Every structure is written in C-alpha cells, then in structure tokens.
Amino acid sequence: MSEIPAKATESKDPSDGARTEAAGDAAAGIRPEDVPPGDAMWQSSPPGSIYDYIKVASFSIGPDGLVEQWSLRAEQLFGIAAERAVGMDPIAVFIDPDLQERGQRKMAEILDGREWTGVVPFRGPDSATGEPGRQGLAEVYVMPTRTQDGEKAAVCIVVDVRTLRSIETDLAASQAIFGQSPFGFLLIDPDLRVRRANLQFANTFGGTPDDHRGKGVYDYLQGPEAERIAATLRRVLETGNSITDMHVTGFVPGSDERRHWSINLYRVHSGSGRPIGIAWLGLDITARRAAAREAANARRNLALLNEAGARIGNSLDLETTARELLDVVVPGFCDLATVDLYQGLLAGDETPPGLADGSAELRRVAFASAVSDGPFAGSGDPVAVGAVHHYPFNSPCADALRTARPQWVPAEDGGLVQSTLAVPMVAHDTVVGIAQFARTKGSEPFGDRDRDLAVELAARAAVCIDNARLYRREHERALILQRSLLPPGDPVASGLDIACRYLPGNSSSDRPSEVGGDWFDVIELPGHRTALVVGDVMGRGLRAAVAMGELRSAVRTLALLDLEPAEVLSALDEIARGLGAPGGVQQATRAARRPREADLSEVYLATCVYAVYDSVTRRCTFANAGHLPPVLVEPGEAALMLDVPPGMPLGVGGEPFEEVEVELPEGALLALYTDGLVESRDHPLDEGLQAFVGALTDPSSPLEDVCDHVLHTLDSLHGEDDIALLMARVQGLPADSVGDWTLPREPRSVGKAREYARGQLQRWDMEPLIDTTELLVSELVTNALRYGEGDIRLRLLLDRTLVCEVWDSGLVQPRRRRARDTDEGGRGLQLVGLLSAAWGSRRTPRGKTVWFELPLPDGETGLADPAEALLSLF
C-alpha cells in the first residue's frame, strides 16, 4: 500500500501544485486554455487551493480491513484523532450501526479489488464537544491498491457532500449572475483584456460572448474616453477601490448615436485573496440621460417662463420691455438675441402694421450677447441698435413677419452662429416686431421644445410691448389734453408779475408716470382783480386729466360770476361730486341736493386753493379745499406758509370753506404749488415743504429765475407726480391811477359824476375816452339813483384798461332787457354793452357794484362811436 503521511498537508509532487492552481482558476471562471503559458503552471499550491474549498480527507485500509493511515483532513472531517483512528475498523468508526452490516459487505468487495464510489452517511464531530455525533453525508471514492508484499489494500478519499453542494450552489449562482444579468458583465484580466463577457454585453456590441475574449477598452471606446477608462481600470486593479456609477460615453457598432453607460468596477480575488482581474458591470443609461435632459430642459423652461413673468413688463416703455426680454433669455436660453420693432409703432402710429408683407421698416431696439459686444458678430447681421432697416422679402425673418410663425434661419459658413430662431412678436393677433435667438457653435442647437419656448417668451414680451404702446398713446393724448387746458403762454394780471411752471411726472423712472390732474390758472376779474388757482385731481391717467379739465372750466365760469372764494369752492365741490358718476355735472346738481348721500366711489376727489387779489387794496382773499398752504415771502423777511384752513377736498361735500384775507406788501412774493413739488416716495412731505420754503431766499430776483432755482433745488425731492408751480410778485396799482368819489343820493349827482370822470381822464391824458366815459358813467349813476339804495360811490381805475365802477347799497342786480319802440327808457344797459369792451355787476358785502371796461386809446379800439350807438337804439 502506498504511504500517505498522516500529518502531511502539502503535496510534494510539483504537478499537484499546478493542478491546485488550475482548480482555483476554474472556480473563478478561468478555463485552463485561458491561462498563458509560463512558469506559473509549476508553482507550489498556495493556501486557498481547490482542496481547501472541498476539504478532501484521505486514509488507507490495510489487508486486515483496519485503518493504517489517517490524514489531518480526516481528523477534521470525522473528529477522530489519528492515534485513535489507526487500527480501527473504518466501518465502525463513522457508519451508523444500522448500516454497518452493509458496509462490511462493501468493504469486503473493495478488498477483493473492486473500486467503489458512493455516498454514505457518517457521524461527524459535534460543534460543541468535538466528539462524533453530527449526522452527515460523505462522497467516498475507494481505490484498491496493494502493499509492498502484494497484499490487497485500499486508499479512501472522502469529501463532505455539504461542501460539494455549497460549491455547486456558489458556482451556479455565479453563473446565473454572470450569464443572466441584465447588465453588461465583463471579467477583465490584469492585462486589461476581456476574459469573459456575458450575453447582454455581446448583444450590445455584437457577436457572441466568445468573440469578445482578448479585446481591450480601445476596441470599444475612442480617444480620450478610452484612455480615461484604461487609467481607471489600472487604478482599481492596483488599489482595490471600487468605482460606482462612472459615466462612459461612446458608440455601438452600426450606429452613429452617442450612447451613455453607467459602469461599476471592482477587483476580483481568488479564494486565496490574490487579485485575478476586474469585474465590469455596465448599464445603458442613454434613455435615462435623455429623460433627465428633457426634465432639466423642462425645469429650465419653467424657470425661464417664471423669470419672464417677473421681469418682463415692469416698464411701460417699449425699448425697456424689449431689453427686459433679452435680459431673461441671454445667456440662460441663447447666446445672442435681438429685438426689432416696427418703426411705425415706435413713431406712435394708431395701430401697428399687423400681418404685413414683412418689408415694413423696423428699428433694432435691443441686442444682447454672451460672447460678443457687436451686433450678431459672425452672423452676417450688421444692424446696430437704433438703426432702421427692413428684411429682404424672401428672407426667413420677413417670412416670419408675414406668416406670424417662427422660422429657422440657416447658419452661414464660417460664422459664429450655428442655430438661429426668428420668432414674430404677436400680441392680440397683431405682429409688433420680431425677436431673433441664436446659439453659437459648441452649444446645443435649438429643438422643437426650444422653439415653443421662444414663441411663448416672445408672445409675453409682445403683449407687454403692445400694452406699452397703448399706454404711450393714452399718455400722449392725456398730456396734450392737459397742456391744452393750462393757460397759454405767460399769464398777465393787473398789479401782479406772474411766472409759472408745469412739469409732467418724472419720466426718468423705470415706469413712465401717467399724466396727472394738476392744473393752475390765472383769471382776470372786474376791478383789476385777479383770481389765482392751483388744483390737483387725485388719480392719474386720461380720466384724471378730463376731470381736471372739467374742474378748471367750472372754476373759470364760477370766477366770472364774481363769487367770493369760499362760494367758488362750495360750488366746485358740488360739481366734483358728480364728475365720476353717469350724468357728469347733472349728477352734481342732484348730489348737491343730497349732500349726505353722495357715494365717494363715484366721484373724483381734488384739492384746490383759490385766491382773489385786489390790485387797488393789495389785499388777497384765500379759500382752501384740502390743498397745501400758500407760501408768502415779504421783502426782507423769511418765507412762511400762510395759515389758511385747509378744509375738505373737493368731492367730499357737506363742509363749508373758510376765507382768510391777507394784505400783501409791495414786492411780496406769493407761491402756490401742488404736492408733486414737495413730496415723493423717498422724502416725506414735511421735508419737502421745508426745502421749498428754504429755496425762496431772494424774492427780488426775476420770477423766472426764482422758479428755475426752486425746481433745481427740489429736483431730488419730487418723484413721479406732476408739478404745478404758480408765483406772483405784488405790484399794487399806484394811488394816482385810482379815482374814488362818494356821491349823495340826489339827481344832481349824475352831473357831478360826469364832471369827476372828465377831470380825472384829463389828468391821465385820456381825452379820447372822455365822451364815452361820461355817457356810460351817467347811465350807471342814473340807474343807481333810480333802482339802488344809499349813497353812491364812483371809482375809476387805470391800468392796462380803464375800469369804471359804480357802487350802491341795493341788492337788486341790473338786468339788460330789450326796450320797445314806444318805451321812453330801458336802453341804458344796452348802450353800456354797445360802447364798452365789457360790463357786468357783482355783489359786495354792502350791496352791489356795476362796472364797465374800456380799452386804452393806444390803438384801434373797435368800439362804436357814442353818437352812432345812440342812434342805433332808436
């Protein structure tokens, strides 16, 4: 019988090591023919060989049927030391008693020279005690042999079946994972060559799994990508650090589509721990990347639309809105962009051309670039911002304007731009211009989704531009209306030097201001008196301007009735309460009857200060309806705000207005203004008022200079509101320009009045007016004697015209009537109307005043000759 050392654990036969190493490679999936030739085939079996996996135990049986030799593996498998096992009956050692008889027959057959292989139960060592007792199965291979003496013996090789089944399961699992994996699976050797590929990988790159044996990464990937992957494989092989979700880009045979994979790499070891290669698991993520890219584009588009909603349309200026569009799209959506608007639209045409033939003139109003400062540098489009141009009829841009549909613009050879979209800007079915979006070479070309986004962005900007156009039209109309309602030129007044300023709201702000309802007026009244008015309708826009016009007209009408300032504001308050309701001024009349029932939501509120200045007495009477106080600067004194009770704004109703009378010294400066001059968002009203008062330091300077100085000083204080500023310097009527007499109530006073008038006109060198004046004075004094009461007062005033006033205490106003041919009287007032430039009557605190006015004889008077006028009455 051959000698098997009981304690030996290493084969002394060199071929044993080679077989052991080959078995280890087989367990790792490497076939013998895959192993390159060399000295490695003759190495000694290292720890971790195939025999360590399957735990092969061996022992020999002598001619007597007893154990002669017992290996260390046998000790481990059966839990019996060699000292006990040698000399024992092997059947009795590890076969159950019930099966020992059958085992003895088999042993006899073996010793008779027959080989046997089978599976037999055995009692293995208990894990706790180490003694036999655990039931197990062993696969036994018994080989007959002979001793040196020629006697029959046997060598037994025993393997634990559980270990074999475990190895079988592991191999099956490994094969299933490798072969049935949905991932592309490679086993790469240390030379970075494919040693094994699964079917999934072969299906992707073509051929059978065996066709890929021996190939390297350069056979699948190109250029820098192959170098990157090869470096990564070497790093994994050297360090053992795994790589997860590494993205690889390349192409598959027969397709020009760029593919993307996610790969995982880890080093593979033999049972002994020796690195034998790298496992490659790859998953095609092309579709997933495309979906992620689509999702990212969708998020970007939504973000752009959200940004567009927040940033486009913050201004009502056409050019600013166009720039806001480009601020949104560059560089987030494109690299270059321009906006062209129809020139007619920018020039203020009523409506833009709409779906024209595309050849209308356009102006480039905005350009933006993330790569160049020039207008579409490298794109063949040399139009500069502000230039007026038109597109050729057959060009894509003209086609886009014609059809109101976006068009692709072909890229020029050698140019910077590779993809351009021409998108018409359509608002309310009307084309207002065109926007071009371009991407340079190196960027992803525009797709259908990009085209739809560009259309949406252009449409949003177009609506804002159209709104700005409509606003500009309304603003210009309102401004024209407002300016038409202001006094033309420089107002003139008796006894006053007048200067005024009107400025629309600050148009330098981001949002152009709407026209406001500020106004001022200078109204000449009888007796060389002057009404000064400054008002402000609350609100903005065309309706506010119209309301301002109606109030201004009402003020002029009421002023000519020669009402007291408080009465003017009371009547104006009633009118204002009806401006916002259907029926206009007629509604105001009804509201006046029901002052407590007026609905403030249907009225325009307004503030107003109304002052009447008498150039003879230099006294000024003020009434205020919620307006800022007038400012007075007396010679040698600091400016001060007059204490005029503000009252309620016009349109509120139900509250009376108070009057304040102030005597103005010669040379004094009076300033009336609106809140736009002294109030803004950044500066409180008190600060503005103090700045205004502080700016009025030199009232003796020319009024025009004073106005300019005030506006320059307060330029940083006023904001978007309109500004109305009215300044008047007092120049009272000289005493020698006034003739004033009191007449008793007796018939001879008529002659005395003619005498006083003649003498005064002679002193003034106004002889051409003597006859007419005497005749008209005689008529007015006669009427006062006949229909009036109390003493009579005659006053002549000489300034730019000659004014004659006759005062009495009667309350009955004179009424002009048509006299019949047979009437002896009733023609006096008709005569006054024929011979005077103007005449009228007004109430006074003590009665009434009847007056007439004659122009000075410096030129053609246009008045009738007294004699001819008398004859015409009969």
Side-chain angles (χ1 to χ4, degrees), residues 631-794:
V631 175
L632 177 64
V633 186
E634 296 184 1
E637 302 290 338
L640 57 90
M641 289 181 285
L642 294 178
D643 186 13
V644 179
M648 299 299 291
L650 302 176
V652 175
E655 296 293 334
F657 297 97
E658 299 183 41
E659 292 182 355
V660 173
E661 189 176 70
V662 178
E663 184 173 352
L664 305 179
E666 185 73 20
L669 180 64
L670 180 66
L672 306 179
Y673 53 96
T674 58
D675 58 356
L677 178 67
V678 295
E679 187 178 24
S680 68
R681 294 179 180 178
D682 301 326
H683 300 277
L685 178 60
D686 290 344
E687 180 181 339
L689 287 173
Q690 292 301 321
F692 178 46
V693 170
L696 298 174
T697 55
D698 187 8
S700 61
S701 299
L703 276 186
E704 296 293 333
D705 295 342
V706 175
C707 288
D708 293 338
H709 173 70
V710 168
L711 294 178
H712 176 74
T713 303
L714 274 70
D715 180 66
S716 61
L717 298 183
H718 73 75
E720 297 182 354
D721 202 1
D722 294 357
I723 294 175
L725 175 63
L726 178 61
M727 288 191 173
R729 177 177 287 116
V730 174
Q731 296 175 347
L733 201 62
D736 57 2
S737 297
V738 179
D740 196 344
W741 304 274
T742 302
L743 302 172
R745 192 169 189 78
E746 55 188 25
R748 64 178 182 174
S749 293
V750 176
K752 199 67 174 175
R754 288 197 298 268
E755 181 182 340
Y756 288 151
R758 174 180 289 275
Q760 187 65 56
L761 291 176
Q762 288 175 343
R763 287 191 293 272
W764 286 340
D765 296 328
M766 293 292 162
E767 285 79 2
L769 299 180
I770 291 177
D771 292 342
T772 303
T773 303
E774 283 186 333
L775 177 59
L776 299 185
V777 166
S778 176
E779 290 294 334
L780 294 187
V781 173
T782 299
N783 283 347
L785 289 171
R786 183 176 297 178
Y787 304 109
E789 298 177 3
D791 291 340
I792 299 172
R793 181 183 177 189
L794 172 64

Side-chain angles (χ1 to χ4, degrees), residues 293-294 297 300 418-419 439-440 442-447 450:
R293 186 166 57 251
E294 287 295 316
N297 289 339
R300 182 204 64 182
Q418 72 158 348
S419 181
R439 289 180 179 173
T440 57
S443 301
E444 183 178 357
F446 289 117
D450 296 320

Side-chain angles (χ1 to χ4, degrees), residues 235-250:
R235 187 167 64 251
V236 171
L237 191 63
E238 292 171 1
T239 65
N241 296 329
S242 300
I243 299 292
T244 59
D245 197 24
M246 179 180 181
H247 288 195
V248 179
T249 302

